[in-house]
Amino acid sequence: MMKRILVAEDNDSNYMLMSYILKNRYECIRARNGQEAVELAESEKPDLILMDLKMPVMNGIEAVSRIKATNPSLPIIAVTASAFDKDRVEAEKVGCCDYLSKPIGNQNCLNTIAKYI
């Protein structure tokens, strides 16, 4: 049985890249904003979430905070184009277990996911 990864990403080309990296290894579910990520985390029961921090409707930090409130053991990896340490610190504070910077390298992405599922 393939593990499920929820990819919370509002940008189509970024999602296409992530689904390409993950194909044949994981089942991908997409959320286009933070609110959708919170809802899909509950209904789809993913094994891991890749959470873009900058999204419409609800940002990734708020979404992680809400998901962790009901599912504290679910691994969530923050994904962002921002190189600022404050974003990493904020992501860790709300419960992200790791951090990937865009542009994401295939092997780095797969190795990071493999640490958690």
Side-chain angles (χ1 to χ4, degrees):
M1 174 113 168
M2 237 186 232
K3 298 278 188 186
R4 303 173 98 184
I5 295 182
L6 173 57
V7 181
E9 174 59 68
D10 60 313
N11 181 291
D12 288 340
S13 58
N14 288 343
Y15 176 75
M16 298 277 284
L17 173 64
M18 291 305 293
S19 62
Y20 175 78
I21 292 170
L22 302 173
K23 74 174 185 184
N24 303 327
R25 290 182 174 89
Y26 302 103
E27 178 188 342
C28 280
I29 308 156
R30 181 180 184 185
R32 293 173 188 272
N33 61 59
Q35 180 63 45
E36 211 172 279
V38 171
E39 292 164 7
L40 290 172
E42 184 63 35
S43 65
E44 297 295 326
K45 307 287 185 229
D47 296 291
L48 181 137
I49 298 176
L50 292 171
M51 180 71 73
D52 184 16
L53 296 181
K54 308 272 191 269
M55 288 187 294
V57 184
M58 179 191 296
N59 71 34
I61 296 294
E62 177 66 21
V64 170
S65 177
R66 290 183 185 207
I67 292 165
K68 285 292 191 175
T70 58
N71 194 343
S73 63
L74 179 63
I76 302 177
I77 299 171
V79 180
T80 186
S82 173
F84 298 111
D85 278 342
K86 74 172 185 59
D87 291 333
R88 181 187 300 247
V89 169
E90 204 175 357
E92 287 171 359
K93 225 183 272 181
V94 294
C96 289
C97 57
D98 219 319
Y99 191 94
L100 289 169
S101 294
K102 295 176 185 175
I104 293 170
N106 294 22
Q107 208 50 58
N108 184 34
C109 181
L110 293 172
N111 291 345
T112 302
I113 290 169
K115 289 194 279 186
Y116 302 101
I117 59 174

